[in-house]
């Protein structure tokens, strides 16, 4: 099985109560762990689409990463916009990952029955608050990182296995495709998982179905009930 969840927002080193964002977040880490242990087998995969830890430093984030490592399954992670502990290049961060955790960014990972690839993504020109001066360089860089991730994923999948694209930022805005979505549609991917969205309005307007052959799936922990869910769309290859 290949499962997914994002936006764990853990803070074991310096606890940050998440219920300040709503009562539904109360004891969220305990609820995630309980559901995780009930669903995920040791040989399963869990894809985590960013916003893993509130920690600002790697030493503090390792407390959260080891917590995830202790849960069943093998994990593939991308960073989110709040993963400040992961500011260095992904390649240099990999050696710090606990045994069951695999960090990717602008590249791909072989899951056996499928291939996962991805990058963080970024705010796009369609999003409110987009600043061409500060956001444009990061936006363009993340598009390039998506292209490299897809190319690596396609190479591994060889048109024989499903390709799963992991993003943190949503590839649609107001249900309209961004450039990220256009490139995902052209990639031949079977599925795209993403997170980042937490407001009720954003949940209601999120793309959570198949478009152009890609099964899009919002995986924010609060949206999916604080437990991993199965990745959809993997029977298309």
């Amino acid at each position: 099985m290949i499962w997914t969840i994002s936006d764990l927002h853990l803070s074991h080193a310096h606890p940050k109560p998440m219920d300040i964002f709503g009562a539904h977040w109360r004891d969220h880490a305990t609820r995630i762990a309980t559901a995780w242990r009930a669903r995920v087998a040791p040989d399963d995969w869990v894809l985590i689409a960013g916003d893993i830890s509130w920690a600002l430093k790697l030493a503090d984030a390792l407390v959260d990463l080891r917590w995830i490592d202790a849960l069943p399954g093998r994990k593939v992670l991308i960073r989110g916009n709040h993963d400040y502990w992961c500011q260095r290049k992904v390649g240099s961060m990999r050696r710090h990952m606990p045994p069951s955790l695999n960090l990717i960014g602008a590249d791909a990972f072989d899951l056996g029955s499928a291939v996962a690839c991805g990058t963080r993504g970024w705010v796009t020109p369609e999003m409110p608050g987009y600043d061409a001066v500060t956001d444009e360089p990061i936006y363009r860089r993340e598009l390039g990182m998506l292209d490299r991730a897809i190319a690596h994923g396609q190479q591994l999948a060889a048109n024989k296995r499903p390709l799963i694209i992991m993003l943190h930022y949503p590839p649609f805005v107001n249900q309209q495709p961004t450039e990220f979505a256009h490139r995902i549609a052209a990639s031949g991917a079977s599925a795209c998982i993403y997170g980042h969205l937490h407001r009720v309005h954003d949940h209601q307007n999120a793309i959570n179905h198949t478009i152009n052959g890609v099964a899009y799936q919002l995986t924010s922990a609060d949206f999916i009930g604080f437990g991993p869910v199965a990745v959809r769309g993997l029977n298309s290859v």
Side-chain angles (χ1 to χ4, degrees):
M1 282 288 292
I2 303 176
W3 304 87
T4 182
I5 189 171
S6 69
D7 298 84
L8 304 182
H9 288 294
L10 301 173
S11 59
H12 288 98
H14 302 287
K16 178 176 180 176
M18 285 293 293
D19 56 9
I20 62 172
F21 300 108
H24 59 296
W25 280 95
R26 187 168 295 122
D27 298 323
H28 79 289
T30 299
R31 292 158 60 198
I32 289 171
T34 299
W36 192 311
R37 293 190 181 103
R39 300 172 190 173
V40 180
D43 289 335
D44 289 349
W45 289 97
V46 183
L47 310 183
I48 305 175
D51 277 7
I52 299 154
S53 171
W54 283 111
L56 301 180
K57 299 179 180 179
L58 176 60
D60 292 335
L62 281 171
V63 181
D64 295 325
L65 297 175
R66 290 172 184 142
W67 182 89
I68 297 170
D69 181 55
L71 294 171
R74 300 165 289 177
K75 301 91 179 179
V76 177
L77 295 72
I78 60 170
R79 64 178 179 170
N81 60 303
H82 288 299
D83 288 314
Y84 296 111
W85 57 273
C86 190
Q87 291 300 305
R88 287 177 284 172
K89 290 184 177 180
V90 167
S92 67
M93 298 295 294
R94 286 181 176 138
R95 62 188 177 90
H96 300 288
M97 294 297 105
S100 71
L101 274 59
N102 303 276
L103 182 66
I104 64 171
D107 58 356
F109 194 88
D110 195 330
L111 308 177
S113 62
V115 172
C117 68
T119 187
R120 175 185 57 187
W122 196 248
V123 295
T124 71
E126 299 87 353
M127 294 182 181
Y130 179 86
D131 187 316
V133 174
T134 58
D135 291 320
E136 182 78 10
I138 306 172
Y139 166 64
R140 292 294 172 188
R141 184 171 69 241
E142 287 289 333
L143 284 173
M145 293 176 74
L146 176 62
D147 289 342
R148 295 197 296 276
I150 288 172
H152 189 198
Q154 290 171 331
Q155 180 183 18
L156 292 178
N159 292 320
K160 296 179 180 178
R161 292 177 291 165
L163 179 63
I164 306 167
I165 295 178
M166 301 173 64
L167 288 176
H168 179 65
Y169 283 88
F172 289 79
V173 176
N174 295 324
Q175 300 190 345
Q176 298 302 308
T178 67
E179 182 59 27
F180 288 98
H182 291 311
R183 298 189 187 196
I184 292 167
S187 72
S190 297
C192 174
I193 61 172
Y194 66 97
H196 188 66
L197 302 180
H198 299 295
R199 297 181 302 179
V200 172
H201 172 78
D202 292 331
H203 285 177
Q204 292 172 340
N205 286 279
I207 296 297
N208 205 38
H209 53 271
T210 299
I211 297 179
N212 294 324
V214 183
Y216 290 93
Q217 192 169 358
L218 174 58
T219 65
S220 300
D222 53 327
F223 179 74
I224 61 175
F226 298 99
V229 295
V231 175
R232 301 195 302 263
L234 301 186
N235 298 321
S236 59
V237 174

